[in-house]
Amino acid sequence: MSPHHAVRRSLQNFTYQHTVRLRYEMAFNELTSTALQLYDEWIKDADPRTKDWLLMSSPLPQTIIICAYIYFVMSLGPRLMENKKPFDLKKVLVIYNFGVVALSLYMCYEFVMSGWGTGYSFSCDLVDYSHSPQAMRMAHTCWLYYFSKFIELLDTVFFVLRKKNNQISFLHVFHHSIMPFTWWFGVRFAPGGQGTFHALLNCIVHVIMYTYYGLSALGPAYQKFLWWKKHLTSIQLTQFVIITTHIGQYFFMKDCPYQYPIFIYIIAVYGVVFLFLFLNFWYHAYTKGKRLPKAVRRADKVQNNNSIANSKQD
Protein backbone atom coordinates (compact mmCIF):
# COMPACT_ATOMS: atom_id res chain seq x y z
CA MET A 1 0.00 0.00 0.00
CA SER A 2 1.36 3.41 -1.00
CA PRO A 3 1.86 6.16 1.59
CA HIS A 4 -0.84 8.18 -0.16
CA HIS A 5 -3.41 5.36 0.25
CA ALA A 6 -2.37 4.80 3.88
CA VAL A 7 -2.89 8.49 4.71
CA ARG A 8 -6.26 8.53 2.94
CA ARG A 9 -7.41 5.41 4.83
CA SER A 10 -6.29 6.90 8.15
CA LEU A 11 -8.27 10.05 7.38
CA GLN A 12 -11.32 7.97 6.47
CA ASN A 13 -11.06 5.99 9.74
CA PHE A 14 -10.64 9.19 11.73
CA THR A 15 -13.64 10.78 9.98
CA TYR A 16 -15.76 7.69 10.58
CA GLN A 17 -14.82 7.48 14.27
CA HIS A 18 -15.42 11.19 14.70
CA THR A 19 -18.86 10.90 13.04
CA VAL A 20 -19.82 7.94 15.24
CA ARG A 21 -18.68 9.80 18.37
CA LEU A 22 -20.69 12.87 17.38
CA ARG A 23 -23.79 10.71 16.83
CA TYR A 24 -23.39 9.11 20.25
CA GLU A 25 -22.89 12.51 21.87
CA MET A 26 -25.98 13.91 20.13
CA ALA A 27 -28.04 10.87 21.14
CA PHE A 28 -26.81 11.15 24.76
CA ASN A 29 -27.50 14.90 24.88
CA GLU A 30 -30.96 14.36 23.44
CA LEU A 31 -31.68 11.59 25.95
CA THR A 32 -30.40 13.74 28.81
CA SER A 33 -32.47 16.71 27.67
CA THR A 34 -35.59 14.55 27.41
CA ALA A 35 -34.98 13.07 30.87
CA LEU A 36 -34.55 16.54 32.37
CA GLN A 37 -37.74 17.76 30.72
CA LEU A 38 -39.65 14.74 32.04
CA TYR A 39 -38.19 15.30 35.50
CA ASP A 40 -39.16 18.98 35.44
CA GLU A 41 -42.71 18.08 34.44
CA TRP A 42 -42.89 15.34 37.04
CA ILE A 43 -41.48 17.37 39.94
CA LYS A 44 -44.06 20.14 39.35
CA ASP A 45 -46.63 17.91 41.05
CA ALA A 46 -44.49 17.42 44.16
CA ASP A 47 -45.49 18.80 47.55
CA PRO A 48 -44.16 22.39 47.71
CA ARG A 49 -44.06 22.24 51.52
CA THR A 50 -41.11 19.82 51.56
CA LYS A 51 -39.00 21.04 48.63
CA ASP A 52 -36.53 23.06 50.75
CA TRP A 53 -36.03 20.49 53.49
CA LEU A 54 -32.72 18.68 53.96
CA LEU A 55 -32.01 16.16 51.12
CA MET A 56 -35.32 17.02 49.44
CA SER A 57 -34.03 19.21 46.60
CA SER A 58 -33.67 16.20 44.26
CA PRO A 59 -33.11 12.45 44.52
CA LEU A 60 -29.44 12.89 43.52
CA PRO A 61 -27.91 13.55 47.00
CA GLN A 62 -29.55 10.49 48.54
CA THR A 63 -28.62 8.37 45.50
CA ILE A 64 -24.96 9.31 46.00
CA ILE A 65 -25.17 8.46 49.71
CA ILE A 66 -26.84 5.10 49.08
CA CYS A 67 -24.39 4.15 46.30
CA ALA A 68 -21.45 5.09 48.55
CA TYR A 69 -22.99 3.00 51.34
CA ILE A 70 -23.39 -0.07 49.10
CA TYR A 71 -19.83 0.30 47.75
CA PHE A 72 -18.36 0.68 51.24
CA VAL A 73 -20.16 -2.23 52.93
CA MET A 74 -19.89 -4.63 49.98
CA SER A 75 -16.38 -3.85 48.74
CA LEU A 76 -14.24 -1.04 50.14
CA GLY A 77 -14.91 -1.59 53.85
CA PRO A 78 -14.17 -5.34 53.98
CA ARG A 79 -10.98 -4.79 51.94
CA LEU A 80 -9.79 -2.03 54.30
CA MET A 81 -10.51 -4.21 57.33
CA GLU A 82 -9.01 -7.40 55.86
CA ASN A 83 -5.66 -7.11 57.65
CA LYS A 84 -6.86 -5.11 60.64
CA LYS A 85 -8.23 -6.11 64.00
CA PRO A 86 -11.98 -5.60 64.57
CA PHE A 87 -12.87 -2.34 66.28
CA ASP A 88 -14.17 -2.56 69.83
CA LEU A 89 -17.43 -0.62 69.54
CA LYS A 90 -19.33 -1.90 72.59
CA LYS A 91 -19.93 1.53 74.13
CA VAL A 92 -20.73 3.07 70.75
CA LEU A 93 -23.23 0.29 70.01
CA VAL A 94 -24.99 0.70 73.35
CA ILE A 95 -25.42 4.44 72.78
CA TYR A 96 -26.38 3.97 69.13
CA ASN A 97 -28.95 1.22 69.67
CA PHE A 98 -30.71 2.83 72.59
CA GLY A 99 -30.55 6.15 70.74
CA VAL A 100 -32.45 4.55 67.83
CA VAL A 101 -34.95 3.14 70.37
CA ALA A 102 -35.56 6.66 71.71
CA LEU A 103 -35.90 8.09 68.18
CA SER A 104 -38.30 5.31 67.16
CA LEU A 105 -40.44 5.90 70.24
CA TYR A 106 -40.60 9.60 69.43
CA MET A 107 -41.61 8.90 65.83
CA CYS A 108 -44.30 6.45 67.02
CA TYR A 109 -45.73 9.22 69.19
CA GLU A 110 -45.60 11.76 66.36
CA PHE A 111 -47.26 9.42 63.83
CA VAL A 112 -50.03 8.69 66.33
CA MET A 113 -50.56 12.34 67.28
CA SER A 114 -50.44 13.64 63.70
CA GLY A 115 -52.97 11.23 62.25
CA TRP A 116 -53.04 7.58 63.22
CA GLY A 117 -54.44 8.24 66.66
CA THR A 118 -56.24 11.48 65.92
CA GLY A 119 -58.59 10.89 63.02
CA TYR A 120 -57.22 8.38 60.53
CA SER A 121 -59.63 5.55 59.75
CA PHE A 122 -57.04 2.83 58.93
CA SER A 123 -58.74 2.38 55.55
CA CYS A 124 -58.90 5.19 52.96
CA ASP A 125 -56.84 7.98 54.53
CA LEU A 126 -55.89 10.79 52.18
CA VAL A 127 -52.87 13.10 52.31
CA ASP A 128 -53.62 16.50 53.82
CA TYR A 129 -51.61 19.05 51.79
CA SER A 130 -52.71 22.05 53.83
CA HIS A 131 -50.47 24.10 56.11
CA SER A 132 -52.51 23.27 59.19
CA PRO A 133 -50.50 22.34 62.32
CA GLN A 134 -51.75 18.74 62.06
CA ALA A 135 -50.82 18.34 58.39
CA MET A 136 -47.40 19.95 58.85
CA ARG A 137 -46.75 17.78 61.88
CA MET A 138 -47.37 14.67 59.78
CA ALA A 139 -45.15 15.97 56.96
CA HIS A 140 -42.29 16.67 59.39
CA THR A 141 -42.71 13.23 60.95
CA CYS A 142 -42.50 11.64 57.50
CA TRP A 143 -39.27 13.54 56.81
CA LEU A 144 -37.84 12.50 60.18
CA TYR A 145 -38.68 8.87 59.43
CA TYR A 146 -36.98 9.24 56.04
CA PHE A 147 -33.87 10.76 57.64
CA SER A 148 -33.76 7.99 60.27
CA LYS A 149 -33.19 5.49 57.45
CA PHE A 150 -29.79 7.12 56.82
CA ILE A 151 -28.93 6.85 60.51
CA GLU A 152 -29.74 3.14 60.34
CA LEU A 153 -27.17 2.66 57.58
CA LEU A 154 -24.69 2.67 60.46
CA ASP A 155 -25.93 -0.84 61.30
CA THR A 156 -23.97 -2.21 58.35
CA VAL A 157 -21.02 0.13 58.80
CA PHE A 158 -20.60 -1.24 62.33
CA PHE A 159 -20.74 -4.79 60.96
CA VAL A 160 -17.85 -3.92 58.63
CA LEU A 161 -15.76 -2.23 61.34
CA ARG A 162 -16.32 -5.21 63.68
CA LYS A 163 -15.56 -7.67 60.85
CA LYS A 164 -19.00 -9.28 61.14
CA ASN A 165 -19.21 -9.72 57.38
CA ASN A 166 -21.33 -12.86 57.72
CA GLN A 167 -24.20 -10.62 58.84
CA ILE A 168 -24.03 -8.44 55.72
CA SER A 169 -26.57 -10.39 53.70
CA PHE A 170 -28.40 -9.40 50.52
CA LEU A 171 -31.59 -8.97 52.57
CA HIS A 172 -29.84 -6.63 55.02
CA VAL A 173 -28.22 -4.38 52.39
CA PHE A 174 -31.28 -4.34 50.12
CA HIS A 175 -33.59 -3.43 53.00
CA HIS A 176 -31.34 -0.60 54.21
CA SER A 177 -30.84 0.76 50.68
CA ILE A 178 -34.37 0.64 49.31
CA MET A 179 -36.09 2.25 52.30
CA PRO A 180 -34.51 5.74 52.14
CA PHE A 181 -34.60 5.71 48.35
CA THR A 182 -38.34 5.06 48.09
CA TRP A 183 -39.19 7.27 51.04
CA TRP A 184 -37.70 10.32 49.32
CA PHE A 185 -40.58 10.08 46.84
CA GLY A 186 -43.05 9.56 49.68
CA VAL A 187 -41.94 12.71 51.52
CA ARG A 188 -41.74 14.70 48.31
CA PHE A 189 -45.15 13.72 46.98
CA ALA A 190 -47.33 12.15 49.68
CA PRO A 191 -46.21 12.90 53.26
CA GLY A 192 -49.24 11.52 55.05
CA GLY A 193 -52.32 9.39 54.58
CA GLN A 194 -52.58 5.64 54.32
CA GLY A 195 -49.12 5.29 52.81
CA THR A 196 -47.56 6.09 56.20
CA PHE A 197 -49.10 3.26 58.21
CA HIS A 198 -46.18 0.94 57.46
CA ALA A 199 -43.83 3.63 58.83
CA LEU A 200 -45.67 3.70 62.16
CA LEU A 201 -45.60 -0.09 62.33
CA ASN A 202 -41.92 -0.14 61.40
CA CYS A 203 -41.12 2.30 64.22
CA ILE A 204 -42.89 0.02 66.71
CA VAL A 205 -40.90 -2.97 65.45
CA HIS A 206 -37.66 -0.99 65.66
CA VAL A 207 -38.31 -0.14 69.31
CA ILE A 208 -38.32 -3.88 70.02
CA MET A 209 -35.44 -4.75 67.68
CA TYR A 210 -33.01 -2.08 68.80
CA THR A 211 -33.83 -2.76 72.44
CA TYR A 212 -32.61 -6.30 71.77
CA TYR A 213 -29.49 -5.02 70.01
CA GLY A 214 -28.79 -2.59 72.85
CA LEU A 215 -29.08 -5.31 75.49
CA SER A 216 -26.86 -7.56 73.38
CA ALA A 217 -24.21 -4.84 73.20
CA LEU A 218 -24.12 -4.57 77.00
CA GLY A 219 -22.17 -7.82 77.17
CA PRO A 220 -22.33 -11.44 78.36
CA ALA A 221 -24.08 -10.56 81.62
CA TYR A 222 -27.22 -9.77 79.61
CA GLN A 223 -27.18 -12.84 77.37
CA LYS A 224 -29.71 -14.58 79.59
CA PHE A 225 -32.24 -11.89 78.63
CA LEU A 226 -31.79 -12.51 74.90
CA TRP A 227 -33.58 -15.84 74.56
CA TRP A 228 -36.22 -14.12 72.42
CA LYS A 229 -33.97 -13.42 69.43
CA LYS A 230 -35.90 -15.89 67.29
CA HIS A 231 -39.08 -13.93 67.94
CA LEU A 232 -37.59 -10.80 66.32
CA THR A 233 -37.99 -12.37 62.90
CA SER A 234 -41.52 -13.45 63.86
CA ILE A 235 -42.30 -9.84 64.70
CA GLN A 236 -40.86 -8.68 61.37
CA LEU A 237 -42.88 -11.29 59.49
CA THR A 238 -46.02 -10.21 61.33
CA GLN A 239 -45.20 -6.61 60.41
CA PHE A 240 -45.18 -7.39 56.70
CA VAL A 241 -48.39 -9.42 56.93
CA ILE A 242 -50.14 -6.48 58.60
CA ILE A 243 -48.67 -3.99 56.10
CA THR A 244 -49.80 -6.08 53.14
CA THR A 245 -53.26 -6.59 54.64
CA HIS A 246 -53.71 -2.90 55.42
CA ILE A 247 -52.55 -1.62 52.05
CA GLY A 248 -54.39 -4.42 50.25
CA GLN A 249 -57.71 -2.89 51.33
CA TYR A 250 -57.23 -0.27 48.63
CA PHE A 251 -57.74 -2.81 45.85
CA PHE A 252 -61.19 -3.71 47.23
CA MET A 253 -62.44 -0.20 47.90
CA LYS A 254 -65.08 1.10 45.50
CA ASP A 255 -64.14 4.73 45.98
CA CYS A 256 -60.83 5.84 47.51
CA PRO A 257 -59.40 8.97 45.84
CA TYR A 258 -55.89 8.53 47.27
CA GLN A 259 -53.78 11.12 45.49
CA TYR A 260 -50.86 8.88 44.44
CA PRO A 261 -52.00 5.27 43.89
CA ILE A 262 -48.50 4.39 42.65
CA PHE A 263 -47.33 4.44 46.26
CA ILE A 264 -50.05 1.96 47.20
CA TYR A 265 -48.69 -0.45 44.59
CA ILE A 266 -45.09 0.11 45.73
CA ILE A 267 -45.97 -0.56 49.38
CA ALA A 268 -47.94 -3.67 48.42
CA VAL A 269 -45.02 -5.03 46.38
CA TYR A 270 -42.62 -4.06 49.17
CA GLY A 271 -44.71 -5.91 51.76
CA VAL A 272 -44.96 -9.10 49.70
CA VAL A 273 -41.30 -9.13 48.61
CA PHE A 274 -39.99 -8.60 52.13
CA LEU A 275 -42.40 -11.14 53.53
CA PHE A 276 -40.86 -13.79 51.28
CA LEU A 277 -37.31 -12.57 51.90
CA PHE A 278 -37.79 -12.76 55.66
CA LEU A 279 -39.43 -16.17 55.35
CA ASN A 280 -36.32 -17.32 53.48
CA PHE A 281 -34.15 -15.77 56.20
CA TRP A 282 -36.22 -17.52 58.87
CA TYR A 283 -35.73 -20.88 57.18
CA HIS A 284 -31.95 -20.58 56.87
CA ALA A 285 -31.35 -18.80 60.16
CA TYR A 286 -33.62 -20.69 62.53
CA THR A 287 -34.93 -23.84 60.89
CA LYS A 288 -31.31 -24.71 60.10
CA GLY A 289 -30.19 -23.01 63.31
CA LYS A 290 -27.48 -20.77 61.86
CA ARG A 291 -28.48 -17.57 63.66
CA LEU A 292 -29.81 -18.77 67.00
CA PRO A 293 -28.07 -17.35 70.10
CA LYS A 294 -25.22 -19.52 71.38
CA ALA A 295 -27.01 -20.21 74.65
CA VAL A 296 -30.07 -21.47 72.78
CA ARG A 297 -27.96 -23.60 70.44
CA ARG A 298 -26.14 -25.12 73.41
CA ALA A 299 -29.44 -25.84 75.15
CA ASP A 300 -30.80 -27.45 71.97
CA LYS A 301 -27.63 -29.52 71.63
CA VAL A 302 -27.86 -30.73 75.23
CA GLN A 303 -31.54 -31.53 74.77
CA ASN A 304 -30.81 -33.46 71.57
CA ASN A 305 -27.98 -35.38 73.25
CA ASN A 306 -30.24 -36.26 76.17
CA SER A 307 -32.93 -37.42 73.77
CA ILE A 308 -30.44 -39.64 71.97
CA ALA A 309 -29.14 -41.04 75.25
CA ASN A 310 -32.67 -41.76 76.47
CA SER A 311 -33.58 -43.47 73.22
CA LYS A 312 -30.52 -45.71 73.51
CA GLN A 313 -31.46 -46.66 77.05
CA ASP A 314 -34.97 -47.53 75.91
Side-chain angles (χ1 to χ4, degrees):
M1 181 183 294
S2 66
H4 175 72
H5 287 143
V7 171
R8 188 170 66 177
R9 178 164 290 184
S10 297
L11 287 173
Q12 288 175 342
N13 289 336
F14 174 79
T15 303
Y16 173 75
Q17 292 174 2
H18 182 66
T19 302
V20 171
R21 185 168 64 250
L22 285 176
R23 287 177 180 175
Y24 276 118
E25 288 178 356
M26 290 175 62
F28 177 77
N29 291 335
E30 185 177 350
L31 181 64
T32 303
S33 177
T34 302
L36 289 173
Q37 288 177 2
L38 290 173
Y39 176 79
D40 289 339
E41 288 296 320
W42 169 70
I43 205 68
K44 286 179 181 177
D45 294 328
D47 188 344
R49 299 175 303 171
T50 63
K51 67 177 181 179
D52 296 324
W53 297 358
L54 182 63
L55 296 175
M56 288 288 106
S57 59
S58 83
L60 181 61
Q62 67 152 8
T63 302
I64 294 173
I65 293 171
I66 294 169
C67 288
Y69 158 77
I70 294 173
Y71 174 65
F72 177 81
V73 302
M74 298 299 294
S75 179
L76 179 62
R79 284 192 283 112
L80 291 175
M81 292 299 299
E82 187 175 3
N83 298 316
K84 295 181 180 179
K85 292 182 179 180
F87 284 89
D88 183 3
L89 301 175
K90 291 181 180 179
K91 293 182 180 179
V92 174
L93 288 173
V94 170
I95 296 171
Y96 168 74
N97 286 309
F98 285 116
V100 175
V101 170
L103 177 60
S104 298
L105 280 170
Y106 174 73
M107 288 189 292
C108 285
Y109 175 77
E110 287 299 303
F111 273 124
V112 169
M113 296 306 295
S114 59
W116 290 105
T118 56
Y120 278 14
S121 65
F122 289 83
S123 56
C124 181
D125 295 299
L126 307 182
V127 183
D128 183 354
Y129 289 101
S130 72
H131 284 79
S132 70
Q134 190 85 343
M136 292 303 298
R137 186 174 186 176
M138 173 58 82
H140 280 106
T141 305
C142 289
W143 178 88
L144 181 60
Y145 178 79
Y146 161 76
F147 186 75
S148 74
K149 299 298 109 180
F150 291 101
I151 296 174
E152 291 166 14
L153 297 182
L154 290 172
D155 288 4
T156 330
V157 173
F158 292 146
F159 283 153
V160 172
L161 298 179
R162 296 166 64 216
K163 300 186 78 168
K164 300 284 186 179
N165 297 334
N166 62 309
Q167 299 191 37
I168 306 175
S169 63
F170 168 79
L171 171 59
H172 179 91
V173 176
F174 179 65
H175 176 68
H176 279 69
S177 302
I178 200 68
M179 283 295 288
F181 187 80
T182 55
W183 258 83
W184 183 91
F185 298 93
V187 177
R188 205 60 189 86
F189 287 86
Q194 65 193 90
T196 62
F197 174 72
H198 73 281
L200 168 62
L201 200 59
N202 187 239
C203 289
I204 296 171
V205 170
H206 277 194
V207 170
I208 301 170
M209 282 177 53
Y210 283 93
T211 296
Y212 174 90
Y213 299 147
L215 290 173
S216 179
L218 287 172
Y222 291 83
Q223 292 298 312
K224 59 185 177 181
F225 301 114
L226 303 179
W227 54 267
W228 46 284
K229 179 178 182 179
K230 184 176 181 179
H231 299 291
L232 289 180
T233 308
S234 299
I235 292 169
Q236 289 171 319
L237 287 170
T238 303
Q239 168 190 201
F240 293 118
V241 170
I242 296 174
I243 288 171
T244 306
T245 302
H246 170 263
I247 212 67
Q249 297 177 91
Y250 177 82
F251 303 105
F252 300 95
M253 294 177 187
K254 292 182 179 180
D255 183 25
C256 181
Y258 185 74
Q259 293 93 327
Y260 287 97
I262 182 62
F263 292 127
I264 301 296
Y265 288 90
I266 292 173
I267 295 168
V269 171
Y270 172 88
V272 172
V273 168
F274 275 96
L275 178 60
F276 280 103
L277 286 174
F278 272 91
L279 281 170
N280 181 66
F281 173 82
W282 172 279
Y283 172 75
H284 287 94
Y286 300 117
T287 302
K288 291 189 173 182
K290 293 181 180 179
R291 293 289 293 274
L292 288 170
K294 292 180 180 179
V296 175
R297 278 184 284 177
R298 283 196 297 267
D300 287 346
K301 185 176 181 180
V302 170
Q303 185 177 0
N304 290 335
N305 290 338
N306 290 338
S307 299
I308 293 171
N310 291 333
S311 64
K312 287 182 178 179
Q313 290 176 1
D314 293 340

